[in-house]
Amino acid sequence: MENPNPGDRNGGHCKPRGIAELIKNDHDVEVTELDRSGNVQRRWLHRPFDAVIVLQSKDASRGFLARSLYEWKKVLYDAFLPVGYPHSVSKDYLAYQTYDSLQAFFSTITSLLASRALLQGLGVGDANSSATFAMLITILRDAMSRVATIIFAHRFGLRIEPDAKRYRFLADIFNDTAFFLELYSPYLGSKGKVAALAVGEALRAMCGVAAGASKAALSVHFAKHDNLAELNAKEASQETAVGLVGLLVGTLVVKVVEDHRSVVYLMVALVCAHLWMNYLGVRSVCMTTLNRQRATILFLEYMETGKVLTPEQVAQRERIIFWVPIVRNRAGEPIARIEFAASYRQAASHGIWDTIDVVDGPMHTSFITSPRGSRLAKIKLLLWAGCKPKHAILAWFHAMEDAWEMKKHCIHDHKRTSMSDGRHAEDEELWTSMEQRGWDLQTQAFETAAPIRLRVQSLE
């Protein structure tokens, strides 16, 4: 068969030829259908006079029953998974969505048990309770929800994306705590009931903000073919289907389990299962963008062994909840706390007993306060105007390298070694290996406050 894109003998360049031109010349044309990842889906033979014959198809060799089962399977896949799965999403998508669906199932049943307690707390079934009291509690809960949403989004909005896995897990801790407050609200006095329900609704509002924002960040990670909107739509379908099953099972559970002690035991079991599934879900996510914790794990291993870890290896070492940006020196002692400064004044200000050095690196500036006594050194980083994501990563590596040479109970002279002369951070082999191992160096997730960029000029 003739190549549809024959080379031009004169110029040596490929001259594309379309289907219509080839068919017009009475040629047999082989047409291959590819998905967006370049995987072959079907192959057709288009013969003259518009005869199209299948050459290769995923279901062409199957029998009638097998084709029918395949069609049903395809319908389910298309309904609940992104088009082109598994090539259209990252490798960790299925594991996360499996655990996420399981945790949603347990959460639905827990929600039904808590909702019954909530109705009792509002006075349903209590002849001594007034409709006015129930309405006032409802108004207070709604007000607390709105206020908590605004405050939490203001205080933590910028921190969620860099630590999406942490806040996705925290969201369910907030939610489950609210469930228990609602569960015990009927057994409290009027003031205690009001406080429990109001705090519970505030926690649920915080859950909504944290879960929504962290899921958005995770969805960006999962989507590979500019299919973010479709991926979110399919996730909503998954949650709806799981929610329906959870409602059916939960309705049966609510009718059968009514004793308070049994309800508490069941709630504890469901919440533990819910949080465990959520924990396994976020643990299965393998982010390729460097944040503070992942960069610390990666570069510390490189300084100690010269080995560049893959995103999968770093993900296995990540801590979901308890991690602070404290790095160790060569002796393994906690020596310094590294942060991106919220302002120039915060970085440059220091106490009367502090010694501080200012060291400029490639497109960043570090303000280093030496350790004194039991106090940790502080390294505040600021980026220059016009910097790129790589400069933020490099700034963090340089700060770690500076801390690596510090000693306890000793004022270190940072000025004797410029940060631009780092032994490890500047290694071209490091950056080449990072790219080869799958790290995304075109983005960074270090800054958890409003980004600050410096521009300076002399006033002389």
PDB file of all heavy atoms in Angstrom, residues 324-336:
ATOM      1  N   VAL A 324       6.913  19.349  59.615  1.00  0.00           N
ATOM      2  CA  VAL A 324       7.271  20.768  59.693  1.00  0.00           C
ATOM      3  C   VAL A 324       8.576  20.959  58.931  1.00  0.00           C
ATOM      4  O   VAL A 324       9.398  20.027  58.840  1.00  0.00           O
ATOM      5  CB  VAL A 324       7.429  21.233  61.159  1.00  0.00           C
ATOM      6  CG1 VAL A 324       6.079  21.289  61.851  1.00  0.00           C
ATOM      7  CG2 VAL A 324       8.378  20.312  61.931  1.00  0.00           C
ATOM      8  N   PRO A 325       8.808  22.152  58.374  1.00  0.00           N
ATOM      9  CA  PRO A 325      10.001  22.369  57.533  1.00  0.00           C
ATOM     10  C   PRO A 325      11.282  22.559  58.335  1.00  0.00           C
ATOM     11  O   PRO A 325      11.984  23.555  58.200  1.00  0.00           O
ATOM     12  CB  PRO A 325       9.626  23.635  56.748  1.00  0.00           C
ATOM     13  CG  PRO A 325       8.702  24.372  57.659  1.00  0.00           C
ATOM     14  CD  PRO A 325       7.916  23.320  58.383  1.00  0.00           C
ATOM     15  N   ILE A 326      11.593  21.593  59.201  1.00  0.00           N
ATOM     16  CA  ILE A 326      12.831  21.617  59.983  1.00  0.00           C
ATOM     17  C   ILE A 326      13.809  20.625  59.364  1.00  0.00           C
ATOM     18  O   ILE A 326      13.472  19.455  59.175  1.00  0.00           O
ATOM     19  CB  ILE A 326      12.569  21.260  61.453  1.00  0.00           C
ATOM     20  CG1 ILE A 326      11.689  22.339  62.113  1.00  0.00           C
ATOM     21  CG2 ILE A 326      13.886  21.126  62.221  1.00  0.00           C
ATOM     22  CD1 ILE A 326      11.304  22.028  63.538  1.00  0.00           C
ATOM     23  N   VAL A 327      15.003  21.099  59.025  1.00  0.00           N
ATOM     24  CA  VAL A 327      15.997  20.250  58.370  1.00  0.00           C
ATOM     25  C   VAL A 327      17.156  19.976  59.325  1.00  0.00           C
ATOM     26  O   VAL A 327      17.355  20.686  60.314  1.00  0.00           O
ATOM     27  CB  VAL A 327      16.504  20.899  57.071  1.00  0.00           C
ATOM     28  CG1 VAL A 327      15.374  21.038  56.064  1.00  0.00           C
ATOM     29  CG2 VAL A 327      17.131  22.266  57.349  1.00  0.00           C
ATOM     30  N   ARG A 328      17.923  18.943  58.986  1.00  0.00           N
ATOM     31  CA  ARG A 328      19.018  18.494  59.843  1.00  0.00           C
ATOM     32  C   ARG A 328      20.375  18.849  59.233  1.00  0.00           C
ATOM     33  O   ARG A 328      20.482  19.088  58.032  1.00  0.00           O
ATOM     34  CB  ARG A 328      18.911  16.981  60.067  1.00  0.00           C
ATOM     35  CG  ARG A 328      17.607  16.569  60.736  1.00  0.00           C
ATOM     36  CD  ARG A 328      17.494  15.056  60.869  1.00  0.00           C
ATOM     37  NE  ARG A 328      16.237  14.681  61.488  1.00  0.00           N
ATOM     38  CZ  ARG A 328      16.046  14.576  62.801  1.00  0.00           C
ATOM     39  NH1 ARG A 328      17.063  14.788  63.621  1.00  0.00           N
ATOM     40  NH2 ARG A 328      14.872  14.231  63.295  1.00  0.00           N
ATOM     41  N   ASN A 329      21.388  18.847  60.101  1.00  0.00           N
ATOM     42  CA  ASN A 329      22.741  19.100  59.618  1.00  0.00           C
ATOM     43  C   ASN A 329      23.443  17.779  59.309  1.00  0.00           C
ATOM     44  O   ASN A 329      22.845  16.710  59.368  1.00  0.00           O
ATOM     45  CB  ASN A 329      23.529  19.932  60.627  1.00  0.00           C
ATOM     46  CG  ASN A 329      23.645  19.240  61.986  1.00  0.00           C
ATOM     47  OD1 ASN A 329      23.324  18.048  62.127  1.00  0.00           O
ATOM     48  ND2 ASN A 329      24.102  19.972  62.982  1.00  0.00           N
ATOM     49  N   ARG A 330      24.715  17.869  59.017  1.00  0.00           N
ATOM     50  CA  ARG A 330      25.472  16.681  58.635  1.00  0.00           C
ATOM     51  C   ARG A 330      25.501  15.641  59.759  1.00  0.00           C
ATOM     52  O   ARG A 330      25.571  14.428  59.499  1.00  0.00           O
ATOM     53  CB  ARG A 330      26.901  17.101  58.269  1.00  0.00           C
ATOM     54  CG  ARG A 330      27.739  15.981  57.679  1.00  0.00           C
ATOM     55  CD  ARG A 330      29.159  16.473  57.420  1.00  0.00           C
ATOM     56  NE  ARG A 330      29.187  17.488  56.379  1.00  0.00           N
ATOM     57  CZ  ARG A 330      29.278  17.223  55.087  1.00  0.00           C
ATOM     58  NH1 ARG A 330      29.320  15.972  54.677  1.00  0.00           N
ATOM     59  NH2 ARG A 330      29.321  18.203  54.205  1.00  0.00           N
ATOM     60  N   ALA A 331      25.395  16.103  61.016  1.00  0.00           N
ATOM     61  CA  ALA A 331      25.421  15.195  62.170  1.00  0.00           C
ATOM     62  C   ALA A 331      24.053  14.598  62.471  1.00  0.00           C
ATOM     63  O   ALA A 331      23.912  13.822  63.410  1.00  0.00           O
ATOM     64  CB  ALA A 331      25.946  15.935  63.403  1.00  0.00           C
ATOM     65  N   GLY A 332      23.046  14.969  61.687  1.00  0.00           N
ATOM     66  CA  GLY A 332      21.710  14.431  61.908  1.00  0.00           C
ATOM     67  C   GLY A 332      20.916  15.172  62.959  1.00  0.00           C
ATOM     68  O   GLY A 332      19.861  14.681  63.402  1.00  0.00           O
ATOM     69  N   GLU A 333      21.373  16.335  63.397  1.00  0.00           N
ATOM     70  CA  GLU A 333      20.675  17.109  64.424  1.00  0.00           C
ATOM     71  C   GLU A 333      19.714  18.095  63.774  1.00  0.00           C
ATOM     72  O   GLU A 333      20.061  18.734  62.778  1.00  0.00           O
ATOM     73  CB  GLU A 333      21.686  17.888  65.275  1.00  0.00           C
ATOM     74  CG  GLU A 333      22.749  17.033  65.922  1.00  0.00           C
ATOM     75  CD  GLU A 333      23.872  17.886  66.494  1.00  0.00           C
ATOM     76  OE1 GLU A 333      24.310  18.839  65.802  1.00  0.00           O
ATOM     77  OE2 GLU A 333      24.300  17.611  67.623  1.00  0.00           O
ATOM     78  N   PRO A 334      18.512  18.264  64.319  1.00  0.00           N
ATOM     79  CA  PRO A 334      17.620  19.328  63.821  1.00  0.00           C
ATOM     80  C   PRO A 334      18.311  20.671  64.006  1.00  0.00           C
ATOM     81  O   PRO A 334      18.698  21.029  65.115  1.00  0.00           O
ATOM     82  CB  PRO A 334      16.375  19.196  64.712  1.00  0.00           C
ATOM     83  CG  PRO A 334      16.427  17.808  65.256  1.00  0.00           C
ATOM     84  CD  PRO A 334      17.885  17.471  65.397  1.00  0.00           C
ATOM     85  N   ILE A 335      18.467  21.419  62.928  1.00  0.00           N
ATOM     86  CA  ILE A 335      19.324  22.609  62.996  1.00  0.00           C
ATOM     87  C   ILE A 335      18.638  23.885  62.528  1.00  0.00           C
ATOM     88  O   ILE A 335      18.951  24.966  63.018  1.00  0.00           O
ATOM     89  CB  ILE A 335      20.616  22.373  62.170  1.00  0.00           C
ATOM     90  CG1 ILE A 335      21.677  23.428  62.498  1.00  0.00           C
ATOM     91  CG2 ILE A 335      20.308  22.345  60.682  1.00  0.00           C
ATOM     92  CD1 ILE A 335      22.252  23.314  63.869  1.00  0.00           C
ATOM     93  N   ALA A 336      17.724  23.793  61.557  1.00  0.00           N
ATOM     94  CA  ALA A 336      17.176  25.031  60.987  1.00  0.00           C
ATOM     95  C   ALA A 336      15.750  24.814  60.505  1.00  0.00           C
ATOM     96  O   ALA A 336      15.345  23.716  60.121  1.00  0.00           O
ATOM     97  CB  ALA A 336      18.044  25.518  59.823  1.00  0.00           C
TER      98      ALA A 336
END
